[in-house]
C-alpha cells in the first residue's frame, strides 16, 4: 500500500455518497492544519523509505524544488509557532496529488514484478 | 479405450519427424538458389523483405532509416536504440523481457550509420507474438522520463566508456571523409556534448519522424510468407504512414583529409579511400578487400593476404581491410591496431603493398584467392544473417532492391587483374582519409606514408 487507505474510489462511484462525504472531507482537510502552513497533502507522505525516495527522484525539477520550498517554509513556521497569513494558505484547488500517482504507478510495477517472479509455466506439450 | 490426447500426440510427433527429415535433406544449400536472396514485397503499406529456409528459428527485424546519418541532433539514434523494448502503452519493459524469456526469444537493438535495427530472434511458431511486439515498440513506446534517467542514460554512459581506439579512429576517418551525415560518429564519445540535445522529449520527437511506414522496412529471415502477410497487416496498422517532420537527407560527398587524436590507451590507424556503395556495380572493390584481407582464416597462422604479410614485419599489429557500403557512398578502410611502433611499421608496409598492386598488378594465384575470399565474405555475410538482414533492410528503406546474391557472385568472378590494378590506381590517385588515434609521437602522418590528402 503506497499511500494511506482511502474511501475515495468507492465514494466516486456513488454520487450520493460523494455529496454526503464531500463537506466532511473538506472540513477535515482544513482542520488537519497542513494547508495553514502552505503544504499539500502529498508533502505529508513519509519519505524515509526506498519506494518514496525513488518516486521523489521521478519528480520534475520544478515539482521537486517547490516541494522542498514548501517543506522548509513549514519547518520554519513550526519553529516560530506561527501560521502563514491567510492569503498564503494552500487553497483546496491547489492541494493536488503530485506524488501519490507516481507511488501508485510504482506499486503496480512491483505487483507485476512479484506476479512475474512467482508465475507457473504451463507447458502446452 | 484410447484417449484422444495420446492419438493426437502420435500424429504431432510424426509431423515433427517429417519436418526434421526435411531439414536434414536440405544439406548443402545451393548457393545460387533464389532462397539465398531476400524477396521484397509490400504488405499493407509496409516494405517487407523475407527469406524462408524452413529452419526452426526466425529472425525478424524492423530496420528504420534512423541511423546516425539521419539524426537531427547528436546522440538521438543512440537514445532511440536504448529506448527499444522499454515500456509501451500496453505493457511494461519488465513484462516484455519476461515474456520473451518464457518464449525463448532474444531481443536486440543496434544501429549502423544509416539504419536503426530492432531485432528479435525466436522459434518459428512465435511469429505473431514477436510481430506484435516489434510493431508495439515502433508505434507505442512511451519514452518516459524516469526510464531515461534510471536506465537509458546509464547504459549510454557505460557504452561510451567501452569505446576503444579502433572505434574512435573509424569514426574520425568517416568524419574527415564525409564531414556531416555519414561523418557523424557511430557512437558519441564521452567527450561529445550530447546532454543538451538528448532527452526523452527529443528522442520521442525523433521516433515520431523516424518510425513511419515510409521510413521502415520489416526484414524476416526464416518466416513463412503467409504468416507475414497475415500478421504484419493488423499489427503495423498503428504505424503512421508519414510524419509531419521529415528527416533531412543530403547526398554524401567525399572530402578526404587527416585527423589525429591523442589517446592514452590503445593505438589505431585508419587509412580510408572512397569505396563501393550498396548496390553499386563495383565488384573490383570487393575483390580488392579480399586481396588485402588481413583477418586470418587459418588457425595459428597470420594468413597469406597482403595485409597479413604486411603485419608479419610488425609483431603485435593487426590489419584488416573492410568496405563500408552505404546507400550512396562507400568507404574502403584499412584499419591497423596494436602497439604504436608496430602500427607505424604495419601502416608503411600496407601502403607499400597497395602501391605494388596499383603498379605491378597481382599474380594469377593471388587473384583466384582474392575472388574466392570475396565470394566467401559475401555469402557468409548474407547467410549467417546479421549483415544480410541489415543490408536487405537498408536497401529497402533507401528504395533499392535487396542484394541479389547469385548476380553479385557472377560479377565477382568476372573481375580480372587489370580491373583490380586500375581500381587500386584510382584509390591511390584520389584523396585518402587518414585517422590516427593513440600515441601521436610515433604514429605516422599521411604524407609520411606517401598518401595524398
Amino acid at each position: 500500500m503506497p499511500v494511506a487507505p482511502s474511501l475515495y474510489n468507492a465514494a466516486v462511484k456513488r454520487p450520493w455518497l460523494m455529496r454526503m462525504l464531500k463537506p466532511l472531507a473538506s472540513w477535515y482537510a482544513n482542520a488537519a492544519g497542513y494547508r495553514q502552513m502552505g503544504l499539500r497533502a502529498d508533502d505529508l507522505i513519509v519519505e524515509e523509505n526506498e519506494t518514496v525516495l525513488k518516486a521523489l527522484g521521478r519528480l520534475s525539477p520544478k515539482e521537486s524544488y517547490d516541494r522542498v520550498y514548501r517543506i522548509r517554509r513549514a519547518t520554519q513556521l513550526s519553529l516560530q509557532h506561527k501560521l502563514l497569513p491567510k492569503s498564503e494558505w494552500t487553497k483546496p484547488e491547489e492541494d493536488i496529488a503530485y506524488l501519490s500517482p507516481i507511488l501508485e504507478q510504482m506499486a503496480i510495477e512491483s505487483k507485476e514484478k512479484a506476479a512475474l517472479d512467482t508465475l507457473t509455466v504451463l507447458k502446452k506439450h | 479405450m484410447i484417449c484422444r490426447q495420446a492419438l493426437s500426440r502420435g500424429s504431432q510427433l510424426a509431423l515433427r519427424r517429417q519436418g526434421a527429415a526435411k531439414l536434414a535433406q536440405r544439406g548443402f544449400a545451393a548457393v545460387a538458389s533464389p532462397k539465398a536472396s531476400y524477396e521484397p514485397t509490400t504488405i499493407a503499406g509496409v516494405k517487407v523483405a523475407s527469406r524462408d529456409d524452413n529452419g526452426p528459428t526466425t529472425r525478424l527485424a524492423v530496420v528504420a532509416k534512423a541511423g546516425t546519418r539521419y539524426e537531427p541532433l547528436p546522440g538521438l539514434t543512440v537514445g532511440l536504440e536504448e529506448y527499444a523494448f522499454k515500456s509501451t502503452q500496453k505493457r511494461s519493459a519488465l513484462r516484455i523481457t519476461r515474456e520473451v524469456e518464457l518464449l525463448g526469444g532474444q531481443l536486440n537493438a543496434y544501429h549502423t550509420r544509416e539504419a536503426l535495427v530492432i531485432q528479435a530472434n525466436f522459434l518459428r511458431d512465435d511469429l505473431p507474438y514477436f510481430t506484435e511486439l516489434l510493431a508495439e515498440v515502433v508505434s507505442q513506446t512511451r519514452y518516459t522520463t524516469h526510464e531515461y534517467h534510471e536506465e537509458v542514460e546509464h547504459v549510454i554512459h557505460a557504452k561510451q566508456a567501452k569505446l576503444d581506439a579502433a572505434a574512435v579512429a573509424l569514426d574520425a576517418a568517416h568524419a574527415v571523409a564525409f564531414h556531416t551525415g555519414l561523418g557523424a560518429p557511430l557512437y558519441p564519445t564521452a567527450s561529445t556534448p550530447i546532454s543538451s540535445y538528448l532527452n526523452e522529449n527529443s528522442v520521442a520527437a525523433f521516433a515520431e519522424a523516424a518510425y513511419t511506414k515510409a521510413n521502415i522496412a520489416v526484414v524476416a529471415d526464416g518466416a513463412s510468407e503467409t504468416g507475414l502477410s497475415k500478421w504484419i497487416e493488423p499489427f503495423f496498422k498503428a504505424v503512421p504512414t508519414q510524419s509531419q517532420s521529415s528527416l533531412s537527407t543530403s547526398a554524401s560527398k567525399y572530402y578526404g583529409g587527416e585527423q589525429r587524436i591523442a589517446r592514452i590507451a590503445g593505438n589505431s590507424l585508419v587509412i580510408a579511400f572512397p569505396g563501393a556503395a550498396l548496390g553499386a556495380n563495383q565488384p573490383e572493390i570487393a575483390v580488392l578487400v579480399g586481396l588485402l584481407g588481413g583477418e586470418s582464416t587459418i588457425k595459428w597462422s597470420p594468413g597469406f593476404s597482403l595485409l597479413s604479410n604486411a603485419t608479419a614485419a610488425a609483431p603485435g599489429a593487426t590489419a584488416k581491410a573492410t568496405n563500408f557500403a552505404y546507400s550512396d557512398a562507400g568507404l574502403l578502410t584499412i584499419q591497423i591496431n596494436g602497439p604504436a611502433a608496430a602500427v607505424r611499421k604495419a601502416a608503411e608496409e600496407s601502403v607499400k603493398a597497395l602501391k605494388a598492386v596499383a603498379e605491378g598488378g597481382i599474380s594469377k594465384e593471388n587473384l583466384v584467392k582474392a575472388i574466392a575470399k570475396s565470394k566467401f565474405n559475401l555469402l557468409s555475410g548474407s547467410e549467417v544473417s546479421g549483415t544480410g538482414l541489415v543490408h536487405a533492410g537498408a536497401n529497402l528503406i533507401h528504395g533499392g532492391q535487396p542484394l541479389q546474391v547469385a548476380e553479385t557472385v557472377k560479377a565477382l568472378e568476372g573481375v580480372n587483374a587489370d580491373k583490380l590494378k586500375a581500381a587500386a590506381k584510382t584509390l591511390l590517385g584520389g584523396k585518402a582519409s587518414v585517422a590516427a588515434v593513440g600515441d601521436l609521437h610515433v604514429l605516422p602522418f599521411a604524407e609520411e606514408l606517401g598518401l595524398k590528402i
Side-chain angles (χ1 to χ4, degrees):
Chain A
M1 203 68 198
V3 280
S6 158
L7 288 175
Y8 182 76
N9 287 333
V12 160
K13 280 180 207 148
R14 299 168 183 80
W16 59 273
L17 189 62
M18 190 70 180
R19 274 198 298 278
M20 263 177 69
L21 289 180
K22 187 78 187 170
L24 186 70
S26 307
W27 168 80
Y28 177 76
N30 282 322
Y34 66 87
R35 285 180 181 172
Q36 282 79 344
M37 300 177 92
L39 291 169
R40 292 180 185 176
D42 274 4
D43 294 337
L44 307 181
I45 295 171
V46 178
E47 70 173 75
E48 282 84 5
N49 72 58
E50 292 290 325
T51 328
V52 179
L53 283 177
K54 201 170 174 189
L56 288 176
R58 290 187 185 183
L59 290 176
S60 71
K62 168 94 171 95
E63 274 174 336
S64 193
Y65 182 90
D66 286 355
R67 175 193 151 86
V68 172
Y69 173 72
R70 285 194 303 271
I71 291 176
R72 291 196 67 165
R73 183 174 58 178
T75 316
Q76 182 67 15
L77 289 169
S78 162
L79 235 115
Q80 295 173 323
H81 293 271
K82 274 186 185 171
L83 291 181
L84 280 177
K86 195 162 186 182
S87 59
E88 289 180 34
W89 290 5
T90 308
K91 294 174 194 69
E93 63 272 16
E94 282 173 3
D95 192 4
I96 45 169
Y98 64 96
L99 189 62
S100 38
I102 302 178
L103 284 169
E104 271 157 29
Q105 191 60 43
M106 288 171 68
I108 293 170
E109 278 170 22
S110 64
K111 207 171 152 192
E112 185 185 32
K113 182 167 190 292
L116 286 168
D117 280 347
T118 54
L119 57 71
T120 319
V121 179
L122 297 175
K123 284 189 180 175
K124 276 191 283 184
H125 49 87
Chain B
M1 226 170 111
I2 305 166
C3 98
R4 241 181 99 185
Q5 225 177 0
L7 270 176
S8 62
R9 173 91 181 133
S11 60
Q12 264 180 8
L13 277 176
L15 270 176
R16 211 172 282 169
R17 283 209 192 108
Q18 245 181 358
K22 220 188 261 171
L23 276 182
Q25 265 174 19
R26 241 187 90 247
F28 304 101
V31 162
S33 82
K35 287 281 162 59
S37 306
Y38 284 89
E39 296 293 323
T41 46
T42 306
I43 300 171
V46 182
K47 289 184 277 275
V48 180
S50 67
R51 179 173 81 162
D52 188 10
D53 52 6
N54 285 314
T57 59
T58 305
R59 283 153 298 281
L60 187 71
V62 172
V63 181
K65 200 168 154 183
T68 46
R69 177 178 182 179
Y70 302 108
E71 59 184 11
L73 299 170
L76 290 192
T77 296
V78 170
L80 194 56
E81 175 194 318
E82 297 308 337
Y83 259 116
F85 308 113
K86 291 282 179 287
S87 57
T88 66
Q89 308 284 359
K90 283 191 190 152
R91 48 191 151 173
S92 65
L94 181 74
R95 182 167 287 276
I96 292 175
T97 320
R98 294 293 171 87
E99 283 178 353
V100 170
E101 268 177 8
L102 286 175
L103 292 173
Q106 289 175 346
L107 301 178
N108 196 4
Y110 51 96
H111 69 277
T112 61
R113 277 174 211 278
E114 291 196 313
L116 175 67
V117 186
I118 300 172
Q119 190 179 343
N121 305 344
F122 50 88
L123 296 174
R124 200 180 168 85
D125 296 341
D126 300 328
L127 180 68
Y129 175 85
F130 284 94
T131 316
E132 183 183 12
L133 177 64
L134 290 188
E136 206 179 300
V137 167
V138 164
S139 59
Q140 296 181 49
T141 301
R142 284 169 56 210
Y143 304 102
T144 54
T145 312
H146 70 269
E147 275 172 325
Y148 178 74
H149 291 300
E150 289 167 20
E151 286 157 42
V152 173
E153 239 178 5
H154 295 309
V155 176
I156 291 177
H157 289 320
K159 285 190 179 171
Q160 281 178 334
K162 271 193 190 169
L163 290 176
D164 55 357
V168 174
L170 209 53
D171 275 349
H174 274 87
V176 290
F178 300 113
H179 292 190
T180 54
L182 286 173
L186 192 57
Y187 216 99
T189 56
S191 52
T192 316
I194 52 170
S195 56
S196 53
Y197 306 114
L198 184 63
N199 58 51
E200 68 283 2
N201 297 321
S202 61
V203 172
F206 181 47
E208 200 261 319
Y211 290 149
T212 61
K213 277 181 184 168
N215 228 357
I216 63 168
V218 176
V219 187
D221 181 10
S224 67
E225 296 219 357
T226 49
L228 286 174
S229 54
K230 186 173 172 195
W231 297 114
I232 284 180
E233 200 270 318
F235 292 134
F236 279 80
K237 210 183 270 172
V239 180
T241 320
Q242 263 185 336
S243 114
Q244 288 96 9
S245 47
S246 64
L247 299 171
S248 65
T249 5
S250 48
S252 298
K253 182 170 178 266
Y254 182 85
Y255 292 90
E258 184 173 23
Q259 173 133 333
R260 293 165 67 78
I261 301 168
R263 194 181 164 95
I264 290 172
N267 298 283
S268 183
L269 185 83
V270 172
I271 302 166
F273 304 97
L278 268 183
N281 187 24
Q282 280 178 291
E284 60 274 12
I285 295 287
V287 176
L288 190 60
V289 168
L291 180 71
L292 291 170
E295 270 195 336
S296 174
T297 42
I298 315 158
K299 213 173 178 185
W300 310 125
S301 151
F304 300 98
S305 58
L306 292 187
L307 288 185
S308 308
N309 291 338
T311 49
T318 54
K320 186 177 183 281
T322 319
N323 178 47
F324 292 93
Y326 306 109
S327 62
D328 61 352
L331 197 67
L332 175 79
T333 63
I334 299 172
Q335 176 148 34
I336 305 158
N337 303 322
V343 168
R344 186 189 176 96
K345 179 86 182 136
E348 284 161 358
E349 294 296 325
S350 306
V351 174
K352 246 183 239 167
L354 193 59
K355 279 192 174 157
V357 173
E359 280 155 18
I362 54 164
S363 67
K364 189 145 178 65
E365 188 197 357
N366 272 343
L367 180 69
V368 172
K369 271 201 285 194
I371 289 176
K373 179 76 179 122
S374 61
K375 258 158 69 178
F376 178 80
N377 286 345
L378 173 79
L379 292 172
S380 77
S382 79
E383 209 160 80
V384 185
S385 308
T387 51
L389 200 93
V390 179
H391 279 195
N395 263 324
L396 270 192
I397 50 179
H398 290 104
Q401 293 295 313
L403 178 76
Q404 292 305 313
V405 175
E407 281 82 353
T408 319
V409 167
K410 207 170 278 170
L412 288 177
E413 281 165 354
V415 173
N416 56 33
D418 290 339
K419 266 191 193 171
L420 211 53
K421 190 176 158 184
K425 202 166 241 170
T426 331
L427 291 189
L428 286 169
K431 279 167 102 185
S433 307
V434 180
V437 174
D439 185 357
L440 298 184
H441 178 65
V442 182
L443 294 179
F445 281 88
E447 210 195 342
E448 291 174 65
L449 294 172
L451 293 167
K452 266 194 248 172
I453 49 165

